[in-house]
Amino acid sequence: MKDGKTTPGFQDAGAKALRANFRVIERREWWLWVTAAIITLLLTAALASFLLPNLSSASDFHALYVLPQAVRGLVALVFLFDLYTIYQHLQIHRIRRQLIEREELFHLISENAADMIAVVDLEGRRIFNSLSYQRILGYSPEELQDSSGFAQIHPEDRERVKNAAEEARQTGAGTILEYRFRHQNGDWMVLESVASVIRNERGEPEKLVIVNRDITERKKAQEALSRSEGSFRALVEGAPHGIYRATMTGQFLEVNPALQRMLGYETVGELFNADLATQVFRNSADYERMNKLLAESNVMNDIELEWKQRNGEPIVVRCSGHRVDGKDGGPDYFEVFAEDVTERRTLERQLRMAQKMEAIGRLSGGIAHDFNNLLGVIIGYSGVLKKSLDKNQPTYEFATEIEKAGQRAASLTRQLLAFSRQQVLSPSVLSLNSLVSDMEKMLPRLLGEDINVSLSLDPGLGNVKADQSQIEQVIMNLAVNARDAMPSGGELLIQTTNMEVDHAFTRDHPGSKVGSYVMLAITDSGTGMSAETIAHIFEPFFTTKKVGEGTGLGLATVYGVVKQSNGYIWVDSAPGKGSTFQIYLPRYLDAEQGPVAKPKSEAREKPQGSEMILLVEDADPLRKLAQAFLESNGFRVLSASNGEAALDIAVHHSGVFHLLLTDVVMPGMNGRVLAEQLSMRQPGLKVLFMSGYTDTFIAGHGVLQEGTNLLHKPFTEEVLISKVREVLDGARRALTDSKAELDHSGSSSRSRR
């Protein structure tokens, strides 16, 4: 025996020993038969001798007739007995051979059976053990014979086996039982056992026949399969994407929790009752298309389909799967992996929209630069023309209309710049409550008497840091947009509140960021908008109004201002249910600085001057106009068309310049570089930049850098002179304050001495 297994010769040892014993018995019986036959023959011969004639004796009747007849009868009787004896021995031989054959068959079955067969008495003592025990468990029959039937059973299973044996004795039928049995080498093996009762002639239990089967490898395979299934199930149930198995008729067979969450069902059982074609697919045509694809090609990869959640909310799902055929070769069911790409597609649309709006914004900024120069010339010379005309002349009205048209064009340009986020902002700390309250009286006149304006302001509202004029423009544009959506009148509600934006909010509102915000909401009871309209409302020149009734820049301006203020805007609307625009501006958390009030304008005389100004502007008409404005108000002006020419003038000018008035964007040297070079030649030189839009040379992220003065294009004569005077006077005030501080410092020093 090697490794607990017996060789074929060893397996046949029992059968050979049985045959050898049978031959010994058979040989002895044959010797007995031969001896009996010889004795019988001798006896028969002795009897037959009486039949021979006796010559010496006298013949009589008995000797001649009676005795021979008796002897012949006796011989016949002996002969019949011999025949019967031979027949009996042949029958015994035949029966014994049948028993031997059955015994051999039993030994062959018990020795070659895969199962282990044992017979034990009611006390557990072993009566018979098949050689399978030695082959499987390594125990010889002698080793098992000397041990109890429970000795090798695992201690934890022993009581359970005893109870099962007792139950088998009582009921006469055993149950299938699994328990651990110790191998001869000390390893524990798992056996599957069933017991049957052998009863005596009185019907009482006498023995137990136990059939054991080694299921160790099967248990290991089952455990490995169970672990594999558990791992696979954990993988499926923990997958971030939906996985399901469904029949070709649309009935779910298996689903994972991700699919349940994706479709918004509370329980898996509820999802099992849903019909795939009508309750999951938004369009039944998509379901038919998927079925047709699987029927023709057996697989599908990355197919985008429209599904709907339990509440009817549409989602976009990217599906991959394959068909599984049944035994008959026909389609049985299909397995599909579904990924919810709704948010991704939304972000892609927003990215495309942002890229498109960014491209339009760049184009708008480029156009605005040149357009503002042209508008400055038109507005400026129309003002000059008006001054030279009498108000009663018809041409005065013409000049006025030219000026108005220029101002309207300038307003459109400002809206384009606001949309493209290229305006220069002047942010200050604001209270939206105060700003909305100040505008409350003006809004009814703007909107009309048939629109009721109401406010719902949070008294604990935080402050924001933004450009006040731009936020006012946002409220005005949204109010006008609401008025146009309520042609028969309605309700306009303006609300403010503090908001804490968390990750859950950002998931539902793509584009928003986590943080503390002040929310401004404007709600109307108008006609509302469809989802298709909402997708385009912030695009410049997009409008739902008739031709000539709107520019399509109102909401684009709102979008640009909010984005430039680091805010976020959200629209909630549906046809017939009105619209709500929610604007989220970052809350200003510096408690030391309160809201800044708008400065009150004070009436003063027209500013004049006599200082020397270096004017640099690459647009000839605008340069000539600005020079005319300055000289007409007493200023001395030297002008140049670019930075290099301005430096040349400065080199040959014997005096000093009190102010550098320069455009920002010019061919060659820009205005900022020019100002730096002239400041090195003349320290303390005041600089006033002219520009129509934000530029990295003068403003970072649209906010004017500290100490930088800017004149917005287009400008009028009054605005130009006022701004020049303000910059020049600001220099004098700073110098006066500096001298006063030095004088105060000197006097304090003397007093200490």
Side-chain angles (χ1 to χ4, degrees):
M1 183 184 70
K2 294 181 180 179
D3 299 330
K5 295 183 180 180
T6 57
T7 62
F10 188 85
Q11 292 178 2
D12 296 337
K16 290 179 179 179
L18 188 64
R19 288 179 179 275
N21 292 334
F22 171 73
R23 291 192 188 97
V24 171
I25 295 172
E26 196 174 40
R27 205 176 292 119
R28 290 175 180 174
E29 286 181 348
W30 278 112
W31 278 113
L32 290 174
W33 291 349
V34 170
T35 303
I38 293 172
I39 293 172
T40 303
L41 290 174
L42 291 174
L43 180 61
T44 303
L47 291 174
S49 67
F50 288 100
L51 296 177
L52 296 175
N54 189 356
L55 297 177
S56 61
S57 63
S59 298
D60 59 10
F61 178 81
H62 287 282
L64 293 175
Y65 298 102
V66 177
L67 183 61
Q69 290 295 333
V71 172
R72 289 189 187 96
L74 183 60
V75 170
L77 183 62
V78 172
F79 184 72
L80 288 175
F81 175 76
D82 288 341
L83 290 177
Y84 177 75
T85 302
I86 293 171
Y87 173 76
Q88 287 286 21
H89 279 289
L90 289 175
Q91 287 292 89
I92 292 171
H93 177 73
R94 183 176 61 83
I95 292 172
R96 183 178 286 112
R97 182 170 290 277
Q98 289 178 350
L99 290 176
I100 293 299
E101 289 177 353
R102 292 182 181 179
E103 186 76 11
E104 288 180 349
L105 180 62
F106 173 75
H107 275 276
L108 288 174
I109 291 173
S110 63
E111 291 170 4
N112 295 280
D115 296 337
M116 294 166 282
I117 303 172
V119 179
V120 299
D121 60 17
L122 298 182
E123 302 301 324
R125 290 186 294 270
R126 297 179 183 275
I127 300 173
F128 170 79
N129 297 287
S130 67
L131 291 177
S132 303
Y133 276 93
Q134 187 168 4
R135 184 177 68 252
I136 298 174
L137 298 176
Y139 293 102
S140 65
E142 293 77 12
E143 290 175 321
L144 290 174
Q145 202 68 33
D146 296 337
S147 64
S148 169
F150 303 105
Q152 289 83 12
I153 297 176
H154 195 282
E156 295 178 1
D157 300 335
R158 195 170 295 162
E159 191 64 30
R160 188 159 49 88
V161 175
K162 289 181 179 180
N163 294 336
E166 180 63 28
E167 182 181 353
R169 284 195 295 268
Q170 293 176 359
T171 62
T175 57
I176 297 177
L177 181 69
E178 291 183 6
Y179 58 91
R180 287 163 290 179
F181 198 94
R182 186 174 58 245
H183 192 278
Q184 190 186 38
N185 61 13
D187 295 338
W188 289 104
M189 303 182 71
V190 182
L191 303 184
E192 183 182 73
S193 175
V194 62
S196 300
V197 175
I198 300 177
R199 300 180 183 274
N200 58 22
E201 62 274 8
R202 295 187 299 274
E204 298 173 349
E206 187 177 43
K207 300 179 182 68
L208 291 177
V209 177
I210 303 172
V211 179
N212 295 308
R213 176 171 295 174
D214 180 15
I215 60 170
T216 306
E217 295 302 322
R218 190 178 78 186
K219 291 293 290 185
K220 290 180 180 179
Q222 288 177 346
E223 291 174 359
L225 180 61
S226 177
R227 287 194 300 269
S228 176
E229 288 179 348
S231 176
F232 178 74
R233 182 167 295 277
L235 181 65
V236 171
E237 293 184 353
H241 305 320
I243 302 173
Y244 71 88
R245 178 182 293 167
T247 65
M248 302 302 289
T249 58
Q251 181 66 41
F252 283 113
L253 300 176
E254 295 286 342
V255 298
N256 72 333
L259 186 73
Q260 175 192 339
R261 293 191 299 269
M262 182 191 303
L263 295 175
Y265 285 84
E266 294 182 359
T267 63
V268 174
E270 191 178 10
L271 182 57
F272 277 132
N273 295 327
D275 182 68
L276 189 62
T278 59
Q279 295 177 269
V280 175
F281 276 78
R282 193 178 180 192
N283 301 309
S284 58
D286 282 349
Y287 176 75
E288 297 298 334
R289 179 165 64 94
M290 184 187 74
N291 269 6
K292 183 178 179 182
L293 181 63
L294 287 173
E296 293 177 352
S297 62
N298 195 37
V299 296
M300 66 175 182
N301 293 308
D302 297 334
I303 304 298
E304 288 198 3
L305 303 167
E306 287 191 359
W307 285 7
K308 58 184 176 183
Q309 294 180 329
R310 185 175 182 273
N311 59 6
E313 187 73 19
I315 59 174
V316 180
V317 180
R318 185 170 64 187
C319 295
S320 298
H322 64 277
R323 188 188 73 219
V324 178
D325 295 333
K327 295 181 179 179
D328 57 355
D332 193 7
Y333 58 87
F334 53 84
E335 296 175 338
V336 176
F337 298 83
E339 178 186 3
D340 185 358
V341 295
T342 306
E343 183 176 354
R344 184 184 306 173
R345 295 297 172 260
T346 301
L347 292 175
E348 288 176 355
R349 287 196 299 271
Q350 291 178 344
L351 177 60
R352 288 194 296 269
M353 173 68 69
Q355 290 173 337
K356 179 170 65 175
M357 297 179 81
E358 184 69 23
I360 296 174
R362 291 180 180 178
L363 177 63
S364 302
I367 293 174
H369 175 259
D370 295 331
F371 197 48
N372 275 329
N373 287 341
L374 297 175
L375 289 176
V377 174
I378 294 172
I379 295 172
Y381 279 113
S382 63
V384 173
L385 185 59
K386 284 173 60 179
K387 288 181 180 180
S388 65
L389 297 173
D390 187 84
K391 292 184 179 182
N392 296 323
Q393 291 180 303
T395 52
Y396 183 86
E397 184 178 353
F398 299 157
T400 301
E401 291 300 325
I402 293 173
E403 185 179 33
K404 289 180 180 179
Q407 295 290 357
R408 285 195 295 272
S411 177
L412 290 175
T413 305
R414 284 193 296 271
Q415 291 186 67
L416 280 174
L417 291 173
F419 157 72
S420 61
R421 287 171 273 172
Q422 295 189 23
Q423 285 197 120
V424 178
L425 303 180
S426 299
S428 59
V429 180
L430 302 175
S431 168
L432 292 186
N433 282 352
S434 300
L435 190 147
V436 171
S437 299
D438 291 343
M439 297 183 68
E440 182 183 11
K441 298 179 181 179
M442 178 269 295
L443 287 176
R445 294 194 296 271
L446 175 68
L447 304 179
E449 297 179 354
D450 57 348
I451 295 179
N452 180 41
V453 179
S454 58
L455 305 182
S456 176
L457 308 180
D458 183 356
L461 190 71
N463 295 326
V464 299
K465 191 170 186 179
D467 190 308
Q468 180 168 338
S469 63
Q470 295 299 315
I471 301 302
E472 290 175 346
Q473 184 69 48
V474 166
I475 297 174
M476 291 284 290
N477 287 8
L478 292 177
V480 171
N481 186 75
R483 179 198 65 188
D484 296 339
M486 298 183 289
S488 301
E491 299 286 336
L492 180 69
L493 173 64
I494 302 178
Q495 297 172 286
T496 60
T497 186
N498 295 318
M499 284 286 294
E500 293 293 335
V501 173
D502 55 14
H503 290 287
F505 184 91
T506 59
R507 284 194 297 268
D508 296 332
H509 299 75
S512 60
K513 297 179 180 179
V514 175
S516 301
Y517 290 85
V518 172
M519 192 268 286
L520 169 67
I522 298 180
T523 304
D524 64 66
S525 59
T527 56
M529 295 176 288
S530 65
E532 290 75 15
T533 301
I534 294 176
H536 299 282
I537 55 173
F538 295 124
E539 295 180 11
F541 308 114
F542 174 81
T543 179
T544 57
K545 301 174 185 176
K546 296 179 181 179
V547 178
E549 293 185 1
T551 62
L553 289 173
L555 293 179
T557 301
V558 171
Y559 177 86
V561 170
V562 172
K563 288 297 183 181
Q564 195 172 10
S565 301
N566 298 318
Y568 167 73
I569 185 168
W570 179 258
V571 184
D572 185 14
S573 182
K577 296 185 179 180
S579 302
T580 297
F581 287 81
Q582 296 176 341
I583 297 170
Y584 298 83
L585 297 175
R587 193 186 311 171
Y588 187 71
L589 300 177
D590 190 349
E592 296 181 357
Q593 185 173 355
V596 177
K598 292 181 70 175
K600 297 182 179 180
S601 59
E602 298 179 357
R604 61 180 184 178
E605 297 181 358
K606 181 180 179 180
Q608 296 283 332
S610 59
E611 289 87 350
M612 174 61 72
I613 297 175
L614 177 58
L615 172 64
V616 186
E617 170 62 58
D618 61 313
D620 292 339
L622 187 59
R623 185 178 67 254
K624 293 177 182 178
L625 178 64
Q627 185 171 355
F629 285 164
L630 292 169
E631 290 178 345
S632 65
N633 285 274
F635 292 100
R636 293 170 293 152
V637 180
L638 291 178
S639 64
S641 60
N642 54 61
E644 290 78 5
L647 289 177
D648 187 61
I649 292 174
V651 170
H652 295 90
H653 180 63
S654 57
V656 297
F657 292 106
H658 299 94
L659 177 69
L660 170 63
L661 178 60
T662 178
D663 190 12
V664 177
V665 180
M666 298 181 294
M669 185 183 299
N670 63 66
R672 187 60 181 255
V673 175
L674 173 63
E676 291 174 352
Q677 293 197 13
L678 288 177
S679 295
M680 288 188 293
R681 297 175 58 88
Q682 183 182 325
L685 175 66
K686 299 304 295 181
V687 180
L688 175 58
F689 293 105
M690 298 181 291
S691 182
Y693 67 105
T694 174
D695 190 281
T696 55
F697 298 124
I698 58 170
H701 303 288
V703 179
L704 201 63
Q705 296 177 7
E706 187 177 357
T708 302
N709 301 304
L710 178 65
L711 174 63
H712 293 278
K713 293 180 182 180
F715 49 79
T716 62
E717 179 182 359
E718 291 77 11
V719 172
L720 171 63
I721 301 304
S722 176
K723 189 67 176 180
V724 169
R725 188 73 267 163
E726 176 188 333
V727 174
L728 289 172
D729 291 345
R732 289 198 184 96
R733 283 196 297 272
L735 182 60
T736 302
D737 294 343
S738 177
K739 288 182 178 180
E741 184 177 352
L742 289 173
D743 292 343
H744 177 71
S745 175
S747 61
S748 299
S749 176
R750 285 192 298 271
S751 64
R752 284 194 297 269
R753 288 197 297 266

